[in-house]
Amino acid sequence: MLPTSFPFPSARLRALPPPPWLSPKVLRVEVLAGLVVGLALIPEAISFSVIAGVDPKVGLFAACTMAMVIAFVGGRPAMISASTGAVALVVAPVARQHGLGYLIATVILAGIIQIALGALGVATLMRFVPRAVMVGFVNALGILLFAAQVPNLHDVPWQVYPLVAAGLVMMVFFPRLTRAVPAPLVSIVILTVVTVAAGIAVPTVGDKGKLPSSLPVPGLPDVPFTVHTLTVIAPYALAMALVGLMESLMTAKLVDEMTDTHSNKTRESIGQGVANIVTGFFGGMGGCAMIGQTMINVKNGARTRLSTFLAGFFLLILCIVLGPVVSDIPMAALVAVMVLVSVGTFDWHSIKPATLKRMPVGETVVMAVTVAVVVATSNLSIGVVVGTVTAMVIFARRVARFTEVTAVTDPDGDSVVYAVTGELFFASSNDLVTRFDYAADPRTVVIDLTDAHIWDASSVAALDTVTAKYAARGKTVEIVGLNRASAQMHGNLTGELTST
């Protein structure tokens, strides 16, 4: 007979609370948000396939598998991963020069690299991205999302413009009636019914490319498994891995702030790699987090992994089962959705005159540089890197100015004490050597570093140079007041940085 203190496993299972997404209210929100995102993924995935120079189904299958896999292995719930423009630009030369097989192999290798980088802790580098870069990233994203819709509004029938306007009006005012159904979904359905029923000839999703009619089949890439193949795909795979991780981690951080929740960035990095490997074996072009579709998902109230999985699942169903119906969706409806998302994404508070007046000039410069680089290159990753480097340079210049050297001569004239205040590193220590009066100072010189800190070898080398200049004049130098870390740095490096 079993002891009463050990209940049956089934009893323990019954005692567990159900997952939050099983509640009717949350389930409805997650399902409807996933459906809206699934619809929004179709034209994007087809467009990215065109950029990469492959069949539309390659991008659509990538969107399906990336979303469904990352829902299980990713670290940021409610974030959407699929085929993206940044990844398409990276892998396009491989497809163009070597064919689809090499592209698939590149995607799989990129996934392996992402897993390795995630395991090595690359996600921790996100802590070095300043807030000004994040604001610039968000503002540039809003601009790019809007700019991406401009081609769909150029050289099109006049009916497109009132359709877009009607879609925007519905999405703005429908939530005042009810939030039970996402306003973007209502707008898409109504505009589709109107254009089909009235026979209005406007560009549709079907005009972007033919939707697939069968499920993807897993398989190995059609390439020779040789060292030569590895040398061909490795540079592109590394670039894809870095770009994909950068965009995914930045998007995860953005969603963290929007939802006031924390996500596991290391798990997200590894999950991106797993999703790309699976996508490659199913013949997809790979991808990363999609910022625009993620914004749609989050702004529609989605907060769990269910919406991410359903976005990919619905996309698969929409393409294969409901392909003819989806093909009739007017592009104007999706353009309206993305325009509203772009406006909502932009941080308008950051450019208010009152905000700019209070903000330090350096912070504004970093934000502006990030926006300018992203818009100029259409690459969020490059903008983040340049913005972060700019912030570091501005910070280094600012801190370097805080270093002061004050001389106090002994009343007897036998010694002089130089009190150094501030942070000593490569930017501030370069000027340190010029702050001493080598010729006029007495025979004993004391350098007091009580209110200073030595950060690098440049500072130790500068102190060695000061000591050597005094020694050349027959004078002695004593360095005092070092804290523990500075003393260890100075003790290990002094006298070892110059050749003899």
Side-chain angles (χ1 to χ4, degrees):
M1 182 175 181
L2 292 173
T4 56
S5 59
F6 293 92
F8 288 105
S10 58
R12 281 203 299 264
L13 290 176
R14 285 196 298 271
L16 292 174
W21 52 265
L22 277 181
S23 69
K25 181 179 180 181
V26 175
L27 185 62
R28 186 191 74 245
V29 171
E30 297 294 314
V31 170
L32 293 177
L35 179 57
V36 173
V37 173
L39 289 168
L41 281 171
I42 295 174
E44 297 276 350
I46 294 174
S47 299
F48 298 148
S49 299
V50 173
I51 292 174
V54 296
D55 191 272
K57 68 180 182 181
V58 177
L60 289 166
F61 286 159
C64 295
T65 54
M66 285 290 297
M68 288 192 285
V69 173
I70 206 67
F72 292 97
V73 300
R76 173 64 259 179
M79 190 167 75
I80 305 298
S81 290
S83 49
T84 61
V87 169
L89 290 171
V90 172
V91 300
V94 181
R96 183 171 58 251
Q97 299 172 16
H98 303 282
L100 180 61
Y102 280 84
L103 183 148
I104 301 303
T106 300
V107 171
I108 295 173
L109 180 58
I112 295 173
I113 294 173
Q114 286 178 329
I115 292 175
L117 291 175
L120 292 172
V122 69
T124 59
L125 295 177
M126 289 304 297
R127 70 182 64 179
F128 295 103
V129 179
R131 181 186 179 279
V133 174
M134 276 297 300
V135 174
F137 173 84
V138 169
N139 290 345
L141 168 61
I143 295 172
L144 288 183
L145 288 176
F146 183 85
Q149 310 315 310
V150 173
N152 294 313
L153 299 173
H154 177 68
D155 195 22
V156 293
W158 67 267
Q159 294 93 333
V160 168
Y161 305 110
L163 287 173
V164 171
L168 291 171
V169 170
M170 280 188 282
M171 286 185 288
V172 169
F173 291 101
F174 184 80
R176 300 184 181 183
L177 300 177
T178 178
R179 293 184 179 272
V181 181
L185 180 59
V186 174
S187 174
I188 292 171
V189 171
I190 291 178
L191 292 182
T192 302
V193 170
V194 169
T195 55
V196 173
I200 302 175
V202 292
T204 64
V205 170
D207 296 331
K208 287 288 185 178
K210 184 179 178 181
L211 301 181
S213 57
S214 61
L215 292 171
V217 178
L220 295 174
D222 184 18
V223 296
F225 293 88
T226 62
V227 175
H228 176 263
T229 299
L230 183 62
T231 58
V232 169
I233 66 175
Y236 300 101
L238 178 60
M240 175 183 166
L242 294 175
V243 168
L245 284 182
M246 177 71 76
E247 293 212 16
S248 298
L249 294 176
M250 287 295 293
T251 305
K253 187 174 181 180
L254 177 60
V255 177
D256 287 354
E257 294 183 359
M258 291 181 61
T259 60
D260 195 24
T261 57
H262 175 72
S263 61
N264 189 329
K265 306 299 189 300
T266 297
R267 178 177 174 179
E268 183 61 40
S269 302
I270 296 174
Q272 288 290 328
V274 173
N276 272 310
I277 292 174
V278 174
T279 297
F281 282 123
F282 275 93
M285 58 181 277
C288 62
M290 291 196 77
I291 304 169
Q293 275 65 22
T294 297
M295 292 299 100
I296 295 175
N297 199 42
V298 173
K299 288 180 181 295
N300 278 316
R303 294 293 184 271
T304 76
R305 300 175 184 275
L306 181 61
S307 58
T308 304
F309 174 82
L310 290 178
F313 178 76
F314 283 144
L315 175 59
L316 196 61
I317 299 301
L318 289 169
C319 291
I320 296 175
V321 180
L322 301 175
V325 176
V326 174
S327 295
D328 289 333
I329 295 176
M331 284 300 300
L334 299 177
V335 168
V337 172
M338 296 307 295
V339 167
L340 195 65
V341 169
S342 68
V343 173
T345 300
F346 195 93
D347 186 353
W348 298 99
H349 176 75
S350 67
I351 61 172
K352 287 183 177 179
T355 303
L356 294 175
K357 185 177 180 179
R358 291 193 302 266
M359 192 69 64
V361 176
E363 299 285 310
T364 304
V365 169
V366 170
M367 180 185 71
V369 167
T370 303
V371 171
V373 173
V374 171
V375 173
T377 63
S378 297
N379 191 312
L380 292 163
S381 302
I382 295 177
V384 169
V385 171
V386 174
T388 302
V389 171
T390 303
M392 290 179 177
V393 171
I394 292 175
F395 174 76
R397 287 176 58 86
R398 185 184 302 162
V399 174
R401 294 173 184 171
F402 291 157
T403 303
E404 296 181 358
V405 179
T406 305
V408 179
T409 304
D410 185 272
D412 297 331
D414 295 332
S415 65
V416 61
V417 177
Y418 283 94
V420 181
T421 304
E423 308 299 320
L424 297 179
F425 63 110
F426 62 89
S428 59
S429 59
N430 287 334
D431 187 47
L432 186 65
V433 178
T434 64
R435 309 293 289 275
F436 298 87
D437 192 349
Y438 303 101
D441 281 342
R443 298 184 62 83
T444 301
V445 178
V446 179
I447 302 178
D448 185 0
L449 299 178
T450 302
D451 296 320
H453 186 93
I454 297 176
W455 287 102
D456 59 8
S458 297
S459 303
V460 178
L463 291 172
D464 284 353
T465 301
V466 172
T467 302
K469 285 181 175 291
Y470 277 115
R473 293 169 172 80
K475 303 174 183 181
T476 60
V477 174
E478 182 183 2
I479 298 177
V480 300
L482 292 168
N483 58 39
R484 180 179 298 179
S486 298
Q488 184 177 3
M489 174 80 70
H490 186 266
N492 289 338
L493 298 179
T494 184
E496 303 293 333
L497 300 174
T498 58
S499 58
T500 56

